[in-house]
Amino acid sequence: MLNPVFYKAPDANLFPINYAMARQQWLSQLEALKSANFHLTFPYSGGQGPDGDALFTDSVWLGPKNAAKVLVLLAGTHGVEGFAGSAVQLDLLQALIKGRAGIAPDIAILLVHALTPWGYAWLRRCDAEGIDLNRNMIDFTAPLPINVGYEELLPVFATLDVKQREQAFMEWEKLNGRASLESAISAGQYIDPTGPFYGGQTPAHGRLVCEDLIQHYTLAQKNLAVIDIHSGLGPYGYGEIICDHQPDSKGAAVAGLWFGDACTLPWLGTSFSVPKLGLLDYAWHNIMNQSSCYVTLEFGTFRTDQLFEVLLHDHQLWAQKGNLKARLEHSEHMRRHFCPDDPFWKELVLFRARQVISQALAGLAAI
């Protein structure tokens, strides 16, 4: 049952047209909220936006500072996927502004907006160094993980002929299976900065932001419901609840209790997502108590093969010197893949997000 905070019908117009507008709308909603909150801003030092503007990750704590229960909503972990996350956060902020509140008084909300602001501004999933934040949560003092499948497919990624590349992927799939192909491409790699799903060599901006917020708000001492909003994978318009906790863990049990049978686990093969290296989830798993969980809310758009193709072409273009015009033209394909120009898709995103947020709030309230 939807929380009373969400009785009003979704407004597809909440989806911003770019990063700059998203941040402006987000900050305007905070000003309109006119309630006690704690706004922390994290400048991005790795580059500027297309118009030369400075880039930021913003966060706000809403509710009692000493709350023992916290709902954390993350947006823009993958930059270009930030449109859905921005709209979901704006929808929640509007509901709070208009007094449609049904949130227990002992629960606080922490919104984190544009974790990868450079990717959001430039319509890419990664940051200015090519780092995929959602593959960056590894121990960089230890030997880097090896993705053997990625290394074997590396020459294919550089192939400009689309049909030749598709044929190579089909042959790999026949020999190794679909899950193996998806893992080889997307599970994470640490050898190719110009390629997709690159986890980097050092902690990325968004990782440092999360670590700072965890420490600043002593989140390791609180009961947490973390929802990380993504788009681009799975059935069109459906919001899959993906739990990357280990199947036998307390986190997986909590997620199953709060979200029911709709909760999927990559480690059990029940998700459209395969197990991956260096997920942002893992940084939060490490500080969570046994009454907390982290889930990804993934809004599907188009076929996985189409996802891989649009990403590979994006990385090929950015690996070339110059060619800014071609990059910008392709960036529109990126935007439409991760945020389709379809008001019905956008309404589905907001309605499903309301459901999942309501489930998380109910779960926290029951602790």
Side-chain angles (χ1 to χ4, degrees):
M1 181 178 179
L2 279 178
N3 190 294
V5 73
F6 291 131
Y7 279 162
K8 190 174 183 294
D11 179 6
N13 293 319
L14 288 173
F15 282 75
I17 62 172
N18 55 38
Y19 160 80
M21 177 174 285
R23 184 168 192 255
Q24 181 183 25
Q25 291 175 320
W26 196 89
L27 293 174
S28 295
Q29 297 284 10
L30 287 196
E31 185 176 347
L33 192 57
K34 295 180 180 178
S35 64
N37 60 63
F38 306 91
H39 177 205
L40 296 178
T41 299
F42 301 86
Y44 177 68
S45 61
Q48 298 174 321
D51 297 325
D53 296 333
L55 303 172
F56 304 90
T57 296
D58 290 284
S59 70
V60 65
W61 178 280
L62 304 171
K65 184 72 180 290
N66 61 348
K69 307 172 185 180
V70 186
L71 170 68
V72 183
L73 287 182
L74 305 176
T77 297
H78 287 138
V80 69
E81 300 176 29
F83 294 97
S86 291
V88 169
Q89 292 193 1
L90 291 171
D91 186 50
L92 176 58
L93 285 169
Q94 279 200 356
L96 295 172
I97 290 168
K98 295 178 180 179
R100 297 191 304 273
I103 299 173
D106 60 344
I107 295 177
I109 298 174
L110 175 61
L111 303 182
V112 187
H113 184 257
L115 267 174
T116 303
W118 187 91
Y120 199 165
W122 287 94
L123 301 178
R124 303 195 71 201
R125 286 174 89 252
C126 58
D127 68 10
E129 299 176 74
I131 298 174
D132 182 332
L133 174 59
N134 220 28
R135 305 295 184 275
N136 187 246
M137 301 300 141
I138 64 167
D139 180 1
F140 287 105
T141 66
L144 297 175
I146 298 173
N147 184 339
V148 175
Y150 185 92
E151 294 186 13
E152 292 183 13
L153 286 172
L154 194 54
V156 179
F157 298 141
T159 302
L160 297 178
D161 188 307
V162 175
K163 291 185 177 179
Q164 185 178 349
R165 185 163 58 245
E166 289 176 347
Q167 183 62 36
F169 287 158
M170 287 175 60
E171 291 175 0
W172 174 279
E173 184 176 348
K174 287 180 181 178
L175 288 173
N176 302 284
R178 179 68 187 184
S180 178
L181 173 65
E182 293 191 12
S183 292
I185 297 173
S186 67
Q189 53 88 11
Y190 300 84
I191 61 168
D192 182 16
T194 63
F197 307 102
Y198 172 63
Q201 304 282 321
T202 56
H205 165 83
R207 172 176 176 168
L208 298 175
V209 168
C210 287
E211 291 173 349
D212 194 324
L213 290 171
I214 287 169
Q215 181 176 8
H216 182 82
Y217 290 115
T218 61
L219 297 182
Q221 302 174 23
K222 301 181 185 299
N223 300 317
L224 302 176
V226 182
I227 302 174
D228 188 7
I229 303 163
H230 288 252
S231 64
L233 179 67
Y236 189 84
Y238 178 65
E240 180 186 3
I241 301 170
I242 304 172
C243 173
D244 279 286
H245 289 277
Q246 289 293 323
D248 59 350
S249 68
K250 191 64 177 176
V254 171
L257 178 65
W258 291 359
F259 303 108
D261 293 336
C263 185
T264 66
L265 284 82
W267 292 103
L268 292 182
T270 60
S271 172
F272 282 94
S273 177
V274 296
K276 297 179 174 70
L277 301 166
L279 292 176
L280 184 60
D281 311 44
Y282 304 150
W284 293 83
H285 290 181
N286 289 338
I287 61 98
M288 284 182 164
N289 64 25
Q290 295 196 347
S291 298
S292 303
C293 72
Y294 183 118
V295 297
T296 296
L297 181 55
E298 178 82 49
F299 292 103
T301 56
F302 305 104
R303 295 180 299 107
T304 304
D305 289 340
Q306 186 173 337
L307 165 65
F308 289 158
E309 189 56 43
V310 74
L311 282 178
L312 287 174
H313 191 42
D314 174 70
H315 283 277
Q316 287 176 344
L317 288 171
W318 280 84
Q320 300 171 15
K321 298 296 183 182
N323 209 5
L324 180 60
K325 181 180 178 182
R327 292 178 184 176
L328 295 178
E329 288 176 352
H330 183 70
S331 69
E332 281 303 301
H333 293 289
M334 290 282 288
R335 183 189 61 79
R336 286 194 296 270
H337 182 91
F338 294 100
C339 185
D341 292 325
D342 177 359
F344 297 103
W345 182 86
K346 294 174 180 178
E347 287 180 2
L348 286 169
V349 167
L350 295 177
F351 183 79
R352 178 64 169 149
R354 291 176 178 188
Q355 287 184 319
V356 176
I357 291 170
S358 294
Q359 287 176 291
L361 290 170
L364 286 172
I367 297 173

